[in-house]
PDB file of all heavy atoms in Angstrom:
ATOM      1  N   ARG A   1       6.895   6.230 -15.907  1.00  0.00           N
ATOM      2  CA  ARG A   1       6.758   4.905 -15.271  1.00  0.00           C
ATOM      3  C   ARG A   1       7.901   4.563 -14.297  1.00  0.00           C
ATOM      4  O   ARG A   1       7.629   4.136 -13.169  1.00  0.00           O
ATOM      5  CB  ARG A   1       6.675   3.818 -16.335  1.00  0.00           C
ATOM      6  CG  ARG A   1       6.532   2.411 -15.770  1.00  0.00           C
ATOM      7  CD  ARG A   1       6.643   1.352 -16.889  1.00  0.00           C
ATOM      8  NE  ARG A   1       7.945   1.444 -17.546  1.00  0.00           N
ATOM      9  CZ  ARG A   1       9.056   0.858 -17.109  1.00  0.00           C
ATOM     10  NH1 ARG A   1       9.039   0.156 -15.989  1.00  0.00           N
ATOM     11  NH2 ARG A   1      10.180   0.990 -17.783  1.00  0.00           N
ATOM     12  N   PRO A   2       9.171   4.753 -14.633  1.00  0.00           N
ATOM     13  CA  PRO A   2      10.226   4.390 -13.680  1.00  0.00           C
ATOM     14  C   PRO A   2      10.093   5.151 -12.355  1.00  0.00           C
ATOM     15  O   PRO A   2      10.286   4.606 -11.269  1.00  0.00           O
ATOM     16  CB  PRO A   2      11.520   4.799 -14.430  1.00  0.00           C
ATOM     17  CG  PRO A   2      11.173   4.707 -15.870  1.00  0.00           C
ATOM     18  CD  PRO A   2       9.748   5.196 -15.934  1.00  0.00           C
ATOM     19  N   PHE A   3       9.751   6.461 -12.455  1.00  0.00           N
ATOM     20  CA  PHE A   3       9.598   7.241 -11.237  1.00  0.00           C
ATOM     21  C   PHE A   3       8.408   6.753 -10.420  1.00  0.00           C
ATOM     22  O   PHE A   3       8.525   6.574  -9.231  1.00  0.00           O
ATOM     23  CB  PHE A   3       9.419   8.729 -11.608  1.00  0.00           C
ATOM     24  CG  PHE A   3       9.016   9.603 -10.432  1.00  0.00           C
ATOM     25  CD1 PHE A   3       9.975   9.936  -9.477  1.00  0.00           C
ATOM     26  CD2 PHE A   3       7.730  10.052 -10.295  1.00  0.00           C
ATOM     27  CE1 PHE A   3       9.602  10.736  -8.362  1.00  0.00           C
ATOM     28  CE2 PHE A   3       7.352  10.866  -9.232  1.00  0.00           C
ATOM     29  CZ  PHE A   3       8.298  11.174  -8.259  1.00  0.00           C
ATOM     30  N   PHE A   4       7.252   6.563 -11.097  1.00  0.00           N
ATOM     31  CA  PHE A   4       6.064   6.115 -10.370  1.00  0.00           C
ATOM     32  C   PHE A   4       6.281   4.706  -9.754  1.00  0.00           C
ATOM     33  O   PHE A   4       5.840   4.481  -8.603  1.00  0.00           O
ATOM     34  CB  PHE A   4       4.864   6.074 -11.319  1.00  0.00           C
ATOM     35  CG  PHE A   4       4.286   7.449 -11.607  1.00  0.00           C
ATOM     36  CD1 PHE A   4       3.676   7.722 -12.813  1.00  0.00           C
ATOM     37  CD2 PHE A   4       4.325   8.429 -10.645  1.00  0.00           C
ATOM     38  CE1 PHE A   4       3.128   8.979 -13.060  1.00  0.00           C
ATOM     39  CE2 PHE A   4       3.775   9.697 -10.879  1.00  0.00           C
ATOM     40  CZ  PHE A   4       3.188   9.961 -12.096  1.00  0.00           C
ATOM     41  N   GLN A   5       6.906   3.828 -10.491  1.00  0.00           N
ATOM     42  CA  GLN A   5       7.115   2.486  -9.949  1.00  0.00           C
ATOM     43  C   GLN A   5       8.026   2.507  -8.738  1.00  0.00           C
ATOM     44  O   GLN A   5       7.797   1.763  -7.753  1.00  0.00           O
ATOM     45  CB  GLN A   5       7.693   1.551 -11.031  1.00  0.00           C
ATOM     46  CG  GLN A   5       6.665   1.071 -12.008  1.00  0.00           C
ATOM     47  CD  GLN A   5       7.193  -0.058 -12.888  1.00  0.00           C
ATOM     48  OE1 GLN A   5       8.378  -0.132 -13.115  1.00  0.00           O
ATOM     49  NE2 GLN A   5       6.308  -0.898 -13.382  1.00  0.00           N
ATOM     50  N   PHE A   6       9.030   3.347  -8.784  1.00  0.00           N
ATOM     51  CA  PHE A   6       9.947   3.453  -7.613  1.00  0.00           C
ATOM     52  C   PHE A   6       9.199   4.039  -6.407  1.00  0.00           C
ATOM     53  O   PHE A   6       9.260   3.505  -5.301  1.00  0.00           O
ATOM     54  CB  PHE A   6      11.137   4.313  -7.964  1.00  0.00           C
ATOM     55  CG  PHE A   6      12.087   4.609  -6.831  1.00  0.00           C
ATOM     56  CD1 PHE A   6      12.946   3.609  -6.357  1.00  0.00           C
ATOM     57  CD2 PHE A   6      12.060   5.821  -6.181  1.00  0.00           C
ATOM     58  CE1 PHE A   6      13.798   3.893  -5.302  1.00  0.00           C
ATOM     59  CE2 PHE A   6      12.880   6.089  -5.108  1.00  0.00           C
ATOM     60  CZ  PHE A   6      13.769   5.099  -4.665  1.00  0.00           C
ATOM     61  N   LEU A   7       8.491   5.160  -6.660  1.00  0.00           N
ATOM     62  CA  LEU A   7       7.806   5.839  -5.568  1.00  0.00           C
ATOM     63  C   LEU A   7       6.707   4.984  -4.949  1.00  0.00           C
ATOM     64  O   LEU A   7       6.639   4.783  -3.747  1.00  0.00           O
ATOM     65  CB  LEU A   7       7.211   7.167  -6.045  1.00  0.00           C
ATOM     66  CG  LEU A   7       6.314   7.927  -5.088  1.00  0.00           C
ATOM     67  CD1 LEU A   7       7.137   8.351  -3.857  1.00  0.00           C
ATOM     68  CD2 LEU A   7       5.696   9.166  -5.774  1.00  0.00           C
ATOM     69  N   PHE A   8       5.834   4.396  -5.817  1.00  0.00           N
ATOM     70  CA  PHE A   8       4.709   3.666  -5.314  1.00  0.00           C
ATOM     71  C   PHE A   8       5.087   2.298  -4.801  1.00  0.00           C
ATOM     72  O   PHE A   8       4.363   1.687  -4.023  1.00  0.00           O
ATOM     73  CB  PHE A   8       3.618   3.589  -6.379  1.00  0.00           C
ATOM     74  CG  PHE A   8       2.868   4.874  -6.567  1.00  0.00           C
ATOM     75  CD1 PHE A   8       3.125   5.707  -7.639  1.00  0.00           C
ATOM     76  CD2 PHE A   8       1.932   5.274  -5.632  1.00  0.00           C
ATOM     77  CE1 PHE A   8       2.460   6.900  -7.808  1.00  0.00           C
ATOM     78  CE2 PHE A   8       1.238   6.481  -5.786  1.00  0.00           C
ATOM     79  CZ  PHE A   8       1.528   7.278  -6.868  1.00  0.00           C
ATOM     80  N   ALA A   9       6.238   1.758  -5.231  1.00  0.00           N
ATOM     81  CA  ALA A   9       6.718   0.491  -4.677  1.00  0.00           C
ATOM     82  C   ALA A   9       7.044   0.680  -3.193  1.00  0.00           C
ATOM     83  O   ALA A   9       6.756  -0.201  -2.344  1.00  0.00           O
ATOM     84  CB  ALA A   9       7.925  -0.020  -5.445  1.00  0.00           C
ATOM     85  N   ILE A  10       7.663   1.816  -2.882  1.00  0.00           N
ATOM     86  CA  ILE A  10       7.944   2.149  -1.495  1.00  0.00           C
ATOM     87  C   ILE A  10       6.675   2.312  -0.667  1.00  0.00           C
ATOM     88  O   ILE A  10       6.504   1.745   0.426  1.00  0.00           O
ATOM     89  CB  ILE A  10       8.826   3.421  -1.384  1.00  0.00           C
ATOM     90  CG1 ILE A  10      10.200   3.191  -2.058  1.00  0.00           C
ATOM     91  CG2 ILE A  10       8.998   3.837   0.079  1.00  0.00           C
ATOM     92  CD1 ILE A  10      11.052   4.428  -2.142  1.00  0.00           C
ATOM     93  N   LEU A  11       5.739   3.060  -1.240  1.00  0.00           N
ATOM     94  CA  LEU A  11       4.461   3.289  -0.533  1.00  0.00           C
ATOM     95  C   LEU A  11       3.684   1.994  -0.384  1.00  0.00           C
ATOM     96  O   LEU A  11       3.014   1.771   0.622  1.00  0.00           O
ATOM     97  CB  LEU A  11       3.629   4.329  -1.313  1.00  0.00           C
ATOM     98  CG  LEU A  11       4.164   5.760  -1.346  1.00  0.00           C
ATOM     99  CD1 LEU A  11       3.292   6.644  -2.202  1.00  0.00           C
ATOM    100  CD2 LEU A  11       4.234   6.343   0.065  1.00  0.00           C
ATOM    101  N   LEU A  12       3.782   1.127  -1.409  1.00  0.00           N
ATOM    102  CA  LEU A  12       3.078  -0.145  -1.346  1.00  0.00           C
ATOM    103  C   LEU A  12       3.571  -0.988  -0.189  1.00  0.00           C
ATOM    104  O   LEU A  12       2.785  -1.573   0.565  1.00  0.00           O
ATOM    105  CB  LEU A  12       3.260  -0.904  -2.664  1.00  0.00           C
ATOM    106  CG  LEU A  12       2.684  -2.341  -2.733  1.00  0.00           C
ATOM    107  CD1 LEU A  12       1.190  -2.314  -2.518  1.00  0.00           C
ATOM    108  CD2 LEU A  12       3.043  -3.015  -4.043  1.00  0.00           C
ATOM    109  N   HIS A  13       4.896  -1.064  -0.001  1.00  0.00           N
ATOM    110  CA  HIS A  13       5.418  -1.876   1.085  1.00  0.00           C
ATOM    111  C   HIS A  13       5.094  -1.304   2.464  1.00  0.00           C
ATOM    112  O   HIS A  13       4.860  -2.031   3.424  1.00  0.00           O
ATOM    113  CB  HIS A  13       6.948  -2.007   0.920  1.00  0.00           C
ATOM    114  CG  HIS A  13       7.339  -3.006  -0.110  1.00  0.00           C
ATOM    115  ND1 HIS A  13       7.286  -2.760  -1.474  1.00  0.00           N
ATOM    116  CD2 HIS A  13       7.742  -4.302  -0.010  1.00  0.00           C
ATOM    117  CE1 HIS A  13       7.671  -3.825  -2.135  1.00  0.00           C
ATOM    118  NE2 HIS A  13       7.953  -4.795  -1.297  1.00  0.00           N
ATOM    119  N   LEU A  14       4.997   0.045   2.527  1.00  0.00           N
ATOM    120  CA  LEU A  14       4.579   0.669   3.789  1.00  0.00           C
ATOM    121  C   LEU A  14       3.125   0.357   4.073  1.00  0.00           C
ATOM    122  O   LEU A  14       2.755   0.063   5.215  1.00  0.00           O
ATOM    123  CB  LEU A  14       4.820   2.181   3.706  1.00  0.00           C
ATOM    124  CG  LEU A  14       6.264   2.659   3.750  1.00  0.00           C
ATOM    125  CD1 LEU A  14       6.330   4.175   3.503  1.00  0.00           C
ATOM    126  CD2 LEU A  14       6.926   2.297   5.050  1.00  0.00           C
ATOM    127  N   THR A  15       2.309   0.435   3.035  1.00  0.00           N
ATOM    128  CA  THR A  15       0.863   0.123   3.193  1.00  0.00           C
ATOM    129  C   THR A  15       0.711  -1.340   3.584  1.00  0.00           C
ATOM    130  O   THR A  15      -0.120  -1.670   4.464  1.00  0.00           O
ATOM    131  CB  THR A  15       0.113   0.412   1.875  1.00  0.00           C
ATOM    132  OG1 THR A  15       0.354   1.753   1.473  1.00  0.00           O
ATOM    133  CG2 THR A  15      -1.392   0.221   2.051  1.00  0.00           C
ATOM    134  N   TRP A  16       1.471  -2.211   2.906  1.00  0.00           N
ATOM    135  CA  TRP A  16       1.420  -3.635   3.222  1.00  0.00           C
ATOM    136  C   TRP A  16       1.792  -3.925   4.674  1.00  0.00           C
ATOM    137  O   TRP A  16       1.144  -4.710   5.340  1.00  0.00           O
ATOM    138  CB  TRP A  16       2.335  -4.367   2.268  1.00  0.00           C
ATOM    139  CG  TRP A  16       2.623  -5.813   2.541  1.00  0.00           C
ATOM    140  CD1 TRP A  16       3.772  -6.349   3.053  1.00  0.00           C
ATOM    141  CD2 TRP A  16       1.764  -6.926   2.338  1.00  0.00           C
ATOM    142  NE1 TRP A  16       3.653  -7.713   3.160  1.00  0.00           N
ATOM    143  CE2 TRP A  16       2.447  -8.106   2.728  1.00  0.00           C
ATOM    144  CE3 TRP A  16       0.436  -7.038   1.846  1.00  0.00           C
ATOM    145  CZ2 TRP A  16       1.884  -9.375   2.669  1.00  0.00           C
ATOM    146  CZ3 TRP A  16      -0.119  -8.325   1.774  1.00  0.00           C
ATOM    147  CH2 TRP A  16       0.607  -9.450   2.160  1.00  0.00           C
ATOM    148  N   PHE A  17       2.809  -3.232   5.152  1.00  0.00           N
ATOM    149  CA  PHE A  17       3.234  -3.386   6.544  1.00  0.00           C
ATOM    150  C   PHE A  17       2.125  -2.960   7.518  1.00  0.00           C
ATOM    151  O   PHE A  17       1.826  -3.642   8.477  1.00  0.00           O
ATOM    152  CB  PHE A  17       4.514  -2.567   6.800  1.00  0.00           C
ATOM    153  CG  PHE A  17       4.938  -2.540   8.262  1.00  0.00           C
ATOM    154  CD1 PHE A  17       5.526  -3.634   8.845  1.00  0.00           C
ATOM    155  CD2 PHE A  17       4.709  -1.401   9.037  1.00  0.00           C
ATOM    156  CE1 PHE A  17       5.905  -3.621  10.194  1.00  0.00           C
ATOM    157  CE2 PHE A  17       5.074  -1.379  10.350  1.00  0.00           C
ATOM    158  CZ  PHE A  17       5.658  -2.483  10.935  1.00  0.00           C
ATOM    159  N   ILE A  18       1.520  -1.806   7.251  1.00  0.00           N
ATOM    160  CA  ILE A  18       0.457  -1.289   8.104  1.00  0.00           C
ATOM    161  C   ILE A  18      -0.734  -2.263   8.109  1.00  0.00           C
ATOM    162  O   ILE A  18      -1.345  -2.543   9.148  1.00  0.00           O
ATOM    163  CB  ILE A  18       0.028   0.113   7.668  1.00  0.00           C
ATOM    164  CG1 ILE A  18       1.166   1.089   7.875  1.00  0.00           C
ATOM    165  CG2 ILE A  18      -1.217   0.556   8.430  1.00  0.00           C
ATOM    166  CD1 ILE A  18       0.919   2.456   7.326  1.00  0.00           C
ATOM    167  N   LYS A  19      -1.080  -2.774   6.915  1.00  0.00           N
ATOM    168  CA  LYS A  19      -2.223  -3.712   6.808  1.00  0.00           C
ATOM    169  C   LYS A  19      -1.975  -4.988   7.540  1.00  0.00           C
ATOM    170  O   LYS A  19      -2.896  -5.695   7.965  1.00  0.00           O
ATOM    171  CB  LYS A  19      -2.546  -3.972   5.361  1.00  0.00           C
ATOM    172  CG  LYS A  19      -3.051  -2.753   4.583  1.00  0.00           C
ATOM    173  CD  LYS A  19      -4.440  -2.349   4.951  1.00  0.00           C
ATOM    174  CE  LYS A  19      -5.463  -3.263   4.338  1.00  0.00           C
ATOM    175  NZ  LYS A  19      -6.836  -2.735   4.485  1.00  0.00           N
ATOM    176  N   ARG A  20      -0.700  -5.348   7.711  1.00  0.00           N
ATOM    177  CA  ARG A  20      -0.366  -6.598   8.367  1.00  0.00           C
ATOM    178  C   ARG A  20      -0.341  -6.468   9.891  1.00  0.00           C
ATOM    179  O   ARG A  20      -0.259  -7.462  10.632  1.00  0.00           O
ATOM    180  CB  ARG A  20       1.019  -7.122   7.915  1.00  0.00           C
ATOM    181  CG  ARG A  20       1.151  -7.383   6.441  1.00  0.00           C
ATOM    182  CD  ARG A  20       0.139  -8.383   5.950  1.00  0.00           C
ATOM    183  NE  ARG A  20       0.289  -9.704   6.549  1.00  0.00           N
ATOM    184  CZ  ARG A  20      -0.531 -10.731   6.353  1.00  0.00           C
ATOM    185  NH1 ARG A  20      -1.567 -10.583   5.560  1.00  0.00           N
ATOM    186  NH2 ARG A  20      -0.324 -11.877   6.949  1.00  0.00           N
ATOM    187  N   LEU A  21      -0.449  -5.262  10.396  1.00  0.00           N
ATOM    188  CA  LEU A  21      -0.462  -5.053  11.837  1.00  0.00           C
ATOM    189  C   LEU A  21      -1.774  -5.553  12.423  1.00  0.00           C
ATOM    190  O   LEU A  21      -2.810  -5.603  11.711  1.00  0.00           O
ATOM    191  CB  LEU A  21      -0.280  -3.538  12.172  1.00  0.00           C
ATOM    192  CG  LEU A  21       1.065  -2.928  11.815  1.00  0.00           C
ATOM    193  CD1 LEU A  21       1.022  -1.437  12.111  1.00  0.00           C
ATOM    194  CD2 LEU A  21       2.189  -3.617  12.604  1.00  0.00           C
ATOM    195  N   PRO A  22      -1.834  -5.938  13.701  1.00  0.00           N
ATOM    196  CA  PRO A  22      -3.063  -6.462  14.301  1.00  0.00           C
ATOM    197  C   PRO A  22      -4.049  -5.323  14.598  1.00  0.00           C
ATOM    198  O   PRO A  22      -4.366  -5.022  15.733  1.00  0.00           O
ATOM    199  CB  PRO A  22      -2.546  -7.102  15.614  1.00  0.00           C
ATOM    200  CG  PRO A  22      -1.306  -6.335  15.947  1.00  0.00           C
ATOM    201  CD  PRO A  22      -0.666  -6.001  14.638  1.00  0.00           C
ATOM    202  N   LEU A  23      -4.542  -4.741  13.493  1.00  0.00           N
ATOM    203  CA  LEU A  23      -5.526  -3.666  13.592  1.00  0.00           C
ATOM    204  C   LEU A  23      -6.820  -4.133  12.945  1.00  0.00           C
ATOM    205  O   LEU A  23      -6.839  -5.073  12.163  1.00  0.00           O
ATOM    206  CB  LEU A  23      -4.990  -2.425  12.865  1.00  0.00           C
ATOM    207  CG  LEU A  23      -3.672  -1.839  13.374  1.00  0.00           C
ATOM    208  CD1 LEU A  23      -3.163  -0.753  12.430  1.00  0.00           C
ATOM    209  CD2 LEU A  23      -3.850  -1.285  14.794  1.00  0.00           C
ATOM    210  N   PRO A  24      -7.944  -3.446  13.247  1.00  0.00           N
ATOM    211  CA  PRO A  24      -9.214  -3.804  12.590  1.00  0.00           C
ATOM    212  C   PRO A  24      -9.092  -3.681  11.065  1.00  0.00           C
ATOM    213  O   PRO A  24      -8.521  -2.713  10.556  1.00  0.00           O
ATOM    214  CB  PRO A  24     -10.195  -2.741  13.154  1.00  0.00           C
ATOM    215  CG  PRO A  24      -9.581  -2.336  14.457  1.00  0.00           C
ATOM    216  CD  PRO A  24      -8.106  -2.363  14.250  1.00  0.00           C
ATOM    217  N   GLN A  25      -9.595  -4.676  10.356  1.00  0.00           N
ATOM    218  CA  GLN A  25      -9.483  -4.685   8.879  1.00  0.00           C
ATOM    219  C   GLN A  25     -10.701  -3.981   8.250  1.00  0.00           C
ATOM    220  O   GLN A  25     -11.808  -4.004   8.802  1.00  0.00           O
ATOM    221  CB  GLN A  25      -9.430  -6.146   8.386  1.00  0.00           C
ATOM    222  CG  GLN A  25      -8.146  -6.850   8.760  1.00  0.00           C
ATOM    223  CD  GLN A  25      -6.957  -6.204   8.096  1.00  0.00           C
ATOM    224  OE1 GLN A  25      -6.848  -6.173   6.862  1.00  0.00           O
ATOM    225  NE2 GLN A  25      -6.054  -5.668   8.898  1.00  0.00           N
ATOM    226  N   PHE A  26     -10.484  -3.389   7.121  1.00  0.00           N
ATOM    227  CA  PHE A  26     -11.553  -2.725   6.398  1.00  0.00           C
ATOM    228  C   PHE A  26     -11.324  -2.912   4.907  1.00  0.00           C
ATOM    229  O   PHE A  26     -10.194  -3.179   4.434  1.00  0.00           O
ATOM    230  CB  PHE A  26     -11.613  -1.254   6.716  1.00  0.00           C
ATOM    231  CG  PHE A  26     -10.424  -0.466   6.248  1.00  0.00           C
ATOM    232  CD1 PHE A  26     -10.434   0.122   4.987  1.00  0.00           C
ATOM    233  CD2 PHE A  26      -9.288  -0.335   7.019  1.00  0.00           C
ATOM    234  CE1 PHE A  26      -9.304   0.845   4.524  1.00  0.00           C
ATOM    235  CE2 PHE A  26      -8.184   0.340   6.601  1.00  0.00           C
ATOM    236  CZ  PHE A  26      -8.176   0.947   5.336  1.00  0.00           C
ATOM    237  N   SER A  27     -12.384  -2.801   4.133  1.00  0.00           N
ATOM    238  CA  SER A  27     -12.294  -2.816   2.679  1.00  0.00           C
ATOM    239  C   SER A  27     -13.324  -1.874   2.098  1.00  0.00           C
ATOM    240  O   SER A  27     -14.302  -1.492   2.755  1.00  0.00           O
ATOM    241  CB  SER A  27     -12.522  -4.231   2.148  1.00  0.00           C
ATOM    242  OG  SER A  27     -13.835  -4.678   2.461  1.00  0.00           O
ATOM    243  N   ALA A  28     -13.109  -1.455   0.851  1.00  0.00           N
ATOM    244  CA  ALA A  28     -14.012  -0.552   0.186  1.00  0.00           C
ATOM    245  C   ALA A  28     -14.033  -0.939  -1.291  1.00  0.00           C
ATOM    246  O   ALA A  28     -13.495  -0.240  -2.153  1.00  0.00           O
ATOM    247  CB  ALA A  28     -13.587   0.902   0.381  1.00  0.00           C
ATOM    248  N   HIS A  29     -14.684  -2.046  -1.583  1.00  0.00           N
ATOM    249  CA  HIS A  29     -14.686  -2.579  -2.931  1.00  0.00           C
ATOM    250  C   HIS A  29     -15.364  -1.627  -3.927  1.00  0.00           C
ATOM    251  O   HIS A  29     -14.869  -1.423  -5.023  1.00  0.00           O
ATOM    252  CB  HIS A  29     -15.412  -3.940  -2.965  1.00  0.00           C
ATOM    253  CG  HIS A  29     -14.651  -5.004  -2.215  1.00  0.00           C
ATOM    254  ND1 HIS A  29     -15.163  -6.271  -2.022  1.00  0.00           N
ATOM    255  CD2 HIS A  29     -13.451  -4.990  -1.580  1.00  0.00           C
ATOM    256  CE1 HIS A  29     -14.306  -7.001  -1.312  1.00  0.00           C
ATOM    257  NE2 HIS A  29     -13.279  -6.235  -1.028  1.00  0.00           N
ATOM    258  N   ASN A  30     -16.501  -1.091  -3.557  1.00  0.00           N
ATOM    259  CA  ASN A  30     -17.239  -0.209  -4.477  1.00  0.00           C
ATOM    260  C   ASN A  30     -16.433   1.025  -4.839  1.00  0.00           C
ATOM    261  O   ASN A  30     -16.367   1.447  -5.984  1.00  0.00           O
ATOM    262  CB  ASN A  30     -18.592   0.154  -3.885  1.00  0.00           C
ATOM    263  CG  ASN A  30     -19.572  -0.986  -3.871  1.00  0.00           C
ATOM    264  OD1 ASN A  30     -19.453  -1.925  -4.651  1.00  0.00           O
ATOM    265  ND2 ASN A  30     -20.544  -0.927  -2.992  1.00  0.00           N
ATOM    266  N   PHE A  31     -15.833   1.627  -3.832  1.00  0.00           N
ATOM    267  CA  PHE A  31     -15.039   2.838  -4.082  1.00  0.00           C
ATOM    268  C   PHE A  31     -13.818   2.502  -4.946  1.00  0.00           C
ATOM    269  O   PHE A  31     -13.457   3.221  -5.841  1.00  0.00           O
ATOM    270  CB  PHE A  31     -14.584   3.467  -2.770  1.00  0.00           C
ATOM    271  CG  PHE A  31     -13.690   4.653  -2.942  1.00  0.00           C
ATOM    272  CD1 PHE A  31     -14.271   5.886  -3.303  1.00  0.00           C
ATOM    273  CD2 PHE A  31     -12.328   4.589  -2.730  1.00  0.00           C
ATOM    274  CE1 PHE A  31     -13.469   7.009  -3.471  1.00  0.00           C
ATOM    275  CE2 PHE A  31     -11.529   5.712  -2.901  1.00  0.00           C
ATOM    276  CZ  PHE A  31     -12.090   6.920  -3.277  1.00  0.00           C
TER     277      PHE A  31
END
């Protein structure tokens, strides 16, 4: 858990930054 939380917290903030850019939005609820 400590390793995963550290690693994915970094990836989460990168993903969050990319999603906040003025780019076309998408979602995939079923997947």
Side-chain angles (χ1 to χ4, degrees):
R1 180 189 60 84
F3 171 75
F4 283 149
Q5 281 192 334
F6 175 76
L7 174 63
F8 285 103
I10 296 174
L11 293 176
L12 175 62
H13 282 78
L14 289 175
T15 306
W16 170 254
F17 173 75
I18 294 172
K19 295 287 284 191
R20 300 303 298 176
L21 294 176
L23 300 172
Q25 291 295 298
F26 66 92
S27 63
H29 294 175
N30 288 336
F31 178 75

